[in-house]
Amino acid sequence: MDDEKPVLEQMTDAMSSAADATKEAAKTAVKKVRKAAKRVAKKVTPKKKAAKKAKKAAKKSTAKKSAKKSAKKAVKKVAKKKKKAKKSKR
């Protein structure tokens, strides 16, 4: 400590330098966290080609499902019509 500087001035200098050091440490920590998050995001997200293939596969499967459902509905409608026709003959 300097004997020439008043105590209050020495304390304010010490506090400001501590605040600056804390600020710099926080900045570096944030940078490291962002970098790590980017790395994880790259690993987690699928590549563009894989994503396109997945979309195409999903579209195909939904088309197949809808075709099957419509076929089942058509069969049920025909069965209902036959039942009604039998009842009306009685």
Side-chain angles (χ1 to χ4, degrees):
M1 292 184 115
D2 293 330
D3 290 333
E4 296 167 6
K5 283 187 178 178
V7 175
L8 186 61
E9 193 175 326
Q10 289 177 9
M11 288 300 293
T12 54
D13 287 344
M15 292 296 286
S16 64
S17 64
D20 287 340
T22 307
K23 187 174 166 185
E24 291 299 318
K27 279 185 182 178
T28 55
V30 168
K31 283 182 184 177
K32 286 181 181 179
V33 168
R34 281 187 183 160
K35 216 176 203 182
K38 283 182 183 178
R39 277 193 225 126
V40 170
K42 278 187 180 180
K43 288 180 183 178
V44 172
T45 54
K47 301 202 174 174
K48 288 183 181 180
K49 288 183 181 179
K52 284 183 181 179
K53 285 182 183 178
K55 282 184 182 179
K56 284 184 181 179
K59 284 183 182 178
K60 286 181 183 177
S61 65
T62 54
K64 286 181 182 177
K65 285 179 184 178
S66 63
K68 284 182 182 179
K69 281 185 180 181
S70 61
K72 284 182 181 179
K73 284 182 181 179
V75 170
K76 286 182 181 179
K77 283 183 182 178
V78 170
K80 280 186 180 181
K81 285 183 181 178
K82 285 184 180 178
K83 280 184 179 180
K84 285 185 179 180
K86 283 183 182 178
K87 284 185 179 180
S88 64
K89 284 183 181 177
R90 291 183 190 169

